[in-house]
Amino acid sequence: MPARRPSWPDPPPHPSGARPPAIAPDLLPRHVAIVMDGNGRWANSRGLPRTEGHRAGEAALMDVLFGAMEIGVPVVSAYAFSTENWRRSPDEVRFLMGFNKDVIRRRRDELNGYGVRIRWAGRRPRLWRSVISQLEDAEQFTERNDRLTLQFCVNYGGRAEVVDATRRLAELAAAGKIDPAKIDEKMFARYLDEPDLPDVDLFVRTSGEQRTSNFLLWQSAYAELMFLDTPWPDFDRRHFWAACASYASRDRRFGAAIDASSSHADARNASSSSSHAGARDADASSPGGAS
């Protein structure tokens, strides 16, 4: 098992020489979720089979991870295969199963070398044993890395995750191990796939579709949503940085609100008080003022 390192090597620079924007650390998203959409359409528009779009998407993911390291985002979740993707053609499902397995096998050592911790979220049933083996091996091999966490979501669905957590809580309640009356949001969240990861701050989907597609539903309750027209194979760290910069400029209130009329009234009162104080000071200091 790799030992924790005091520092990690710099990721390779972008070919353009682009550098990340200067964003205060407290304004960066802690967790960015990405729906890597548009691989098949990207390939078809070039007269290529859909599978070539998935291959091109691998390079895009690596570049985004390098960009996350450079700008300082600590967690990235990538939607690699959903519980609904089993509905695709058998040939594409077989390709995606083998491709995801190969990506993890090929990239595990490279990601480990840059300090990336790999986590897997998703269901075991139906997933190829060889895929599960590669994911579990990558989790164990990189578990002490602390530079960036990549949550690789394979055979994952947001509703399935909520149902699975509910089932576990129901089993514990039926066994008398927990009191149903004490189940709250905090307790429920502990039974999700990766409960120690922060909630999603920024949710990005590429290729023009504007829906969340059952991805990290619980964790994204208050995420800032960004839907971009760029297909995933053309997406790189520069797009990722631009999304982070846009996120940094947004006003996140988490259900709270500011009464604009009250704020304006407070500002007018403060201005009036300042004016009156200034007048009193002027009177006191003038020759005709009170002594």
Side-chain angles (χ1 to χ4, degrees):
M1 184 178 297
R4 179 175 298 217
R5 305 178 188 181
S7 62
W8 306 100
D10 291 334
H14 190 269
S16 70
R19 297 295 302 159
I23 301 175
D26 61 323
L27 295 179
L28 283 170
R30 297 175 304 159
H31 185 172
V32 179
I34 305 177
V35 179
M36 305 179 292
D37 195 22
N39 294 330
R41 279 168 285 174
W42 179 91
N44 290 341
S45 70
R46 289 162 173 75
L48 301 171
R50 290 174 56 86
T51 53
E52 291 306 307
H54 297 303
R55 295 185 196 280
E58 178 185 347
L61 176 60
M62 292 299 297
D63 196 71
V64 164
L65 296 177
F66 293 146
M69 295 176 205
E70 289 182 304
I71 203 170
V73 170
V75 182
V76 172
S77 289
Y79 208 5
F81 190 88
S82 77
T83 49
E84 289 72 43
N85 285 157
W86 295 105
R87 301 172 186 169
R88 296 189 177 184
S89 72
D91 286 344
E92 186 169 2
V93 168
R94 279 193 295 272
F95 171 83
L96 288 172
M97 285 293 103
F99 182 68
N100 283 319
K101 177 186 67 176
D102 292 344
V103 166
I104 294 298
R105 187 184 67 245
R106 282 197 310 271
R107 298 292 189 174
R108 186 201 69 175
D109 290 347
E110 181 180 7
L111 291 172
N112 178 66
Y114 285 110
V116 177
R117 183 179 183 184
I118 298 171
R119 309 282 288 270
W120 166 40
R123 281 180 162 177
R124 299 175 72 91
R126 298 189 71 179
L127 197 56
W128 288 8
R129 292 181 184 176
S130 58
V131 177
I132 293 173
S133 177
Q134 288 293 335
L135 288 166
E136 290 181 337
D137 174 72
E139 282 189 307
Q140 182 177 10
F141 191 76
T142 64
E143 66 181 355
R144 298 186 66 187
N145 293 342
D146 57 6
R147 184 186 203 174
L148 170 69
T149 294
L150 168 62
Q151 182 175 218
F152 209 56
C153 300
V154 183
N155 199 26
Y156 174 87
R159 287 181 173 180
E161 182 181 25
V162 169
V163 167
D164 290 345
T166 302
R167 182 183 298 112
R168 288 193 286 271
L169 282 165
E171 290 169 350
L172 291 171
K177 295 181 179 180
I178 61 171
D179 180 357
K182 294 184 178 180
I183 297 175
D184 57 12
E185 292 181 12
K186 186 176 181 179
M187 179 185 290
F188 185 89
R190 292 203 296 267
Y191 292 87
L192 298 174
D193 285 359
E194 298 292 345
D196 57 326
L197 294 183
D199 281 347
V200 175
D201 291 317
L202 174 59
F203 187 109
V204 177
R205 181 175 187 144
T206 59
S207 201
E209 302 292 349
Q210 298 189 22
R211 56 180 177 269
T212 61
S213 290
N214 197 24
F215 189 39
L216 295 174
L217 298 180
W218 178 277
Q219 299 88 338
S220 299
Y222 275 99
E224 295 295 316
L225 306 179
M226 294 188 190
F227 301 107
L228 309 176
D229 290 334
T230 307
W232 178 248
D234 289 336
F235 193 92
D236 63 23
R237 73 185 81 179
R238 296 170 297 179
H239 299 90
F240 182 82
W241 293 337
C244 289
S246 177
Y247 167 87
S249 70
R250 295 192 180 186
D251 180 19
R252 307 185 75 209
R253 296 190 296 272
F254 298 97
I258 298 174
D259 189 332
S261 61
S262 297
S263 298
H264 293 157
D266 290 343
R268 287 195 300 270
N269 291 337
S271 176
S272 176
S273 297
S274 177
S275 298
H276 291 161
R280 288 195 300 272
D281 290 345
D283 288 343
S285 62
S286 66
S291 60

